[in-house]
Amino acid sequence: MTAFGFVGCGKITAAVASGFCTPGWQPSRITVSPRNAEKAAALAAASPLVTIGENNQAVVDAADIVFIGLLPKVAEEELPTLTFRPDQYIISMMATKSHSDVVRLTRMPAERVTTSVPLPPASKRLGPVLVFPANQWALDIYKHIGTPVAVKEEAQMKALIPVTGLISPFYAIENAAHEWCVAAGAEPEAAGAFIGSFFHALASGSKEYPAGGFGEMAEEAATPGGLNEASWKYLGSKGTWDQFKDCCDTTIVKLGAPAPPR
């Protein structure tokens, strides 16, 4: 069996660790950092697999696979103080740290280091996980809590990560729809159940990229003279789709890369 250690205990760490504690393939044990005492205690209380390490070095010592989920500045300060074993593997969950950065900070061989971008739905074994490089050992681990998406070049990570900034806007759309339905006379509970199931069904229908692209799916749903055609054309006339691209522009700039041309 494989022992996991999590250095750092923020939202993504909690999501990934929680995912591995749900029914399905599980590691032999999970040791988490005491850095965020509240989250660490919640993870330990939720699963007998989880124990809290005395410190980050204790987390590393107890693990075969070390997941790193530190803030960039903290990583620069903390990782050089830790000693990793030659037989260990490192999985970075720090979106703004490159593969070479993690190799430098951990002093580990490049082939034993993978960078990744898991998302909150990993707690339910759902959603994509960006992975670079495409080390098979890392893909075999992540396939248990989501859909590993390996990229051939690290630059492609920055082209995809900005889409993760659309999580809050997605829920904001659901919230706006809920508020509208309640204002129109629906009971809040009924509106919530309907909207949640509605968007879940739409998302599941687009899990596999269609041959004609997502645009084709939008066109097929827009029955001439129907509700979807009216909404689609209205939002298009307001520049909504360009605004979504503007959001991604803002995010990629935060990652230190230029916005793509249009």
Side-chain angles (χ1 to χ4, degrees):
M1 296 292 283
T2 303
F4 288 174
F6 287 84
V7 176
C9 200
K11 290 181 179 179
I12 294 301
T13 290
V16 173
S18 295
F20 282 117
C21 291
T22 58
W25 183 91
Q26 296 177 331
S28 57
R29 67 175 181 269
I30 295 175
T31 308
V32 298
S33 167
R35 189 173 187 87
N36 186 320
E38 183 177 350
K39 280 190 170 60
L43 287 168
S47 173
L49 283 176
V50 180
T51 59
I52 303 173
E54 182 178 349
N55 50 47
N56 283 335
Q57 186 61 59
V59 172
V60 172
D61 292 343
D64 300 309
I65 310 291
V66 181
F67 291 78
I68 301 174
L70 297 170
L71 294 173
K73 183 178 179 181
V74 176
E76 291 286 342
E77 298 169 351
E78 181 71 10
L79 293 181
T81 71
L82 301 177
T83 300
F84 298 90
R85 300 191 310 273
D87 64 334
Q88 289 178 311
Y89 292 94
I90 309 296
I91 295 180
S92 167
M93 302 183 292
M94 302 178 290
T96 58
K97 285 294 183 185
S98 68
H99 182 254
S100 60
D101 286 337
V102 182
V103 168
R104 168 178 59 83
L105 291 169
T106 60
R107 290 91 61 209
M108 289 290 285
E111 65 272 14
R112 285 184 172 267
V113 176
T114 283
T115 56
S116 66
V117 183
L119 300 173
S123 64
K124 298 180 180 180
R125 301 198 176 212
L126 294 171
V129 182
L130 289 176
V131 177
F132 176 85
N135 292 320
Q136 192 59 50
W137 57 266
L139 299 176
D140 288 342
I141 289 170
Y142 269 133
K143 71 182 181 182
H144 296 293
I145 59 166
T147 304
V149 178
V151 295
K152 296 179 180 179
E153 298 177 357
E154 193 165 21
Q156 292 184 35
M157 296 277 274
K158 286 188 177 181
L160 293 170
I161 290 173
V163 175
T164 67
L166 297 178
I167 295 174
S168 289
F170 173 83
Y171 291 126
I173 291 172
E174 289 190 301
N175 184 61
H178 183 266
E179 290 178 343
W180 186 92
C181 288
V182 171
E187 294 182 355
E189 294 78 9
F194 178 79
I195 291 167
S197 180
F198 174 72
F199 279 94
H200 180 268
L202 293 182
S204 65
S206 63
K207 181 180 179 181
E208 303 295 334
Y209 183 63
F214 296 122
E216 184 177 272
M217 294 180 72
E219 291 181 13
E220 289 182 356
T223 304
L227 302 179
N228 278 282
E229 182 190 54
S231 298
W232 186 37
K233 287 185 175 180
Y234 174 80
L235 292 173
S237 71
K238 297 296 182 180
T240 303
W241 318 130
D242 283 334
Q243 289 177 344
F244 273 102
K245 293 177 183 177
D246 290 342
C247 287
C248 293
D249 285 347
T250 299
T251 310
I252 199 169
V253 169
K254 287 178 67 68
L255 293 172
R262 293 200 205 162

